[in-house]
Amino acid sequence: EAQVTQNPRYLITVTGKKLTVTCSQNMNHEYMSWYRQDPGLGLRQIYYSMNVEVTDKGDVPEGYKVSRKEKRNFPLILESPSPNQTSLYFCASSLSWRGHTEAFFGQGTRLTVV
Amino acid sequence: KQEVTQIPAALSVPEGENLVLNCSFTDSAIYNLQWFRQDPGKGLTSLLLIQSSQREQTSGRLNASLDKSSGRSTLYIAASQPGDSATYLCAAPGAGSYQLTFGKGTKLSVIP
């Protein structure tokens, strides 16, 4: 089954403790991205990747890192999480970065930083 | 920079009614526009993708239209059912952008 898989689905952590949220897709998609969703603010893009070893900032990149060493994986790294990063996070992928193709989303990771 | 607006923010209708959800965007040089459904606390499910060269796209009881010149898209749901209750989001990239910009969604409640 074609899908985008995120792990973990739920995570509670303490301020400053490094964490990684994994994202994997099995559709051989070129383009992958991370979003956060907050009440009243909607979905905002954090980082995106057009292909292996090609990443760039979205609208809200501060406090986050990403890497794209393999085509299927695009982990989101919070080196020193803070409470304002408490949010619902989504990973997405699409076949091409050229913008003509459908975006598929993971089931989300609900992160709470205390 | 692309801006996407969805009106109304919430809508409540009786079961069986046909309804229209609206989406407007500021940058009309879009590659495509996509409609999603989101259930509470869940991920986004893609409903329909309309390419810039298309005017309509249909899937079952759903029909999405796109008018680039006016910067508008509509999602028509026929014969609504309680199971259609969810938040509906539209998203579009901007000109020369690979980044999807989302509207804040319309929360639909279909009352049995």
Side-chain angles (χ1 to χ4, degrees):
Chain A
E1 180 189 354
Q3 58 186 5
V4 179
T5 303
Q6 294 179 227
N7 280 296
R9 293 288 312 279
Y10 302 91
L11 180 60
I12 302 174
T13 190
V14 297
T15 298
K17 185 177 181 182
K18 181 179 178 179
L19 67 91
T20 299
V21 183
T22 64
C23 174
S24 180
Q25 49 91 6
N26 63 359
M27 297 170 278
N28 201 36
H29 283 175
E30 284 185 346
Y31 186 84
M32 297 184 73
S33 57
W34 278 101
Y35 294 83
R36 61 179 288 174
Q37 186 176 35
D38 301 288
L41 298 176
L43 278 147
R44 295 176 292 167
Q45 192 181 56
I46 303 170
Y47 268 95
Y48 64 91
S49 169
M50 293 191 286
N51 215 323
V52 175
E53 303 290 3
V54 181
T55 63
D56 207 348
K57 298 176 181 178
D59 290 327
V60 287
E62 296 77 20
Y64 304 95
K65 285 177 57 177
V66 294
S67 68
R68 187 95 180 270
K69 293 183 170 49
E70 306 167 280
K71 199 169 187 179
R72 63 183 292 127
N73 295 324
F74 189 45
L76 179 69
I77 303 158
L78 285 72
E79 294 262 353
S80 183
S82 62
N84 65 11
Q85 292 178 297
T86 292
S87 186
L88 181 57
Y89 291 87
F90 290 103
C91 178
S93 74
S94 56
L95 181 62
S96 166
W97 55 266
R98 293 170 184 84
H100 295 279
T101 61
E102 187 176 6
F104 295 87
F105 280 72
Q107 287 302 298
T109 295
R110 185 167 293 282
L111 172 65
T112 302
V113 183
V114 298
Chain B
K1 182 172 163 56
Q2 182 72 276
E3 293 181 11
V4 178
T5 304
Q6 292 184 250
I7 295 173
L11 181 63
S12 183
V13 300
E15 181 177 1
E17 192 162 297
N18 302 326
L19 60 101
V20 174
L21 305 180
N22 296 297
C23 172
S24 62
F25 47 92
T26 55
D27 185 347
S28 61
I30 57 174
Y31 296 119
N32 56 45
L33 185 139
Q34 195 166 353
W35 283 92
F36 295 88
R37 168 186 173 138
Q38 185 177 24
D39 293 285
K42 301 287 180 65
L44 279 70
T45 301
S46 178
L47 296 174
L48 289 164
L49 172 73
I50 313 178
Q51 300 292 356
S52 59
S53 57
Q54 297 176 307
R55 291 190 64 84
E56 280 191 7
Q57 190 71 257
T58 297
S59 176
R61 294 183 294 108
L62 305 180
N63 176 277
S65 68
L66 176 63
D67 184 344
K68 285 179 57 179
S69 62
S70 66
R72 299 176 72 170
S73 176
T74 61
L75 179 66
Y76 174 83
I77 302 177
S80 59
Q81 303 171 357
D84 294 330
S85 298
T87 296
Y88 291 80
L89 297 153
C90 68
S97 168
Y98 321 119
Q99 177 183 344
L100 277 180
T101 298
F102 282 83
K104 293 183 179 176
T106 295
K107 185 176 182 180
L108 173 66
S109 299
V110 181
I111 311 302

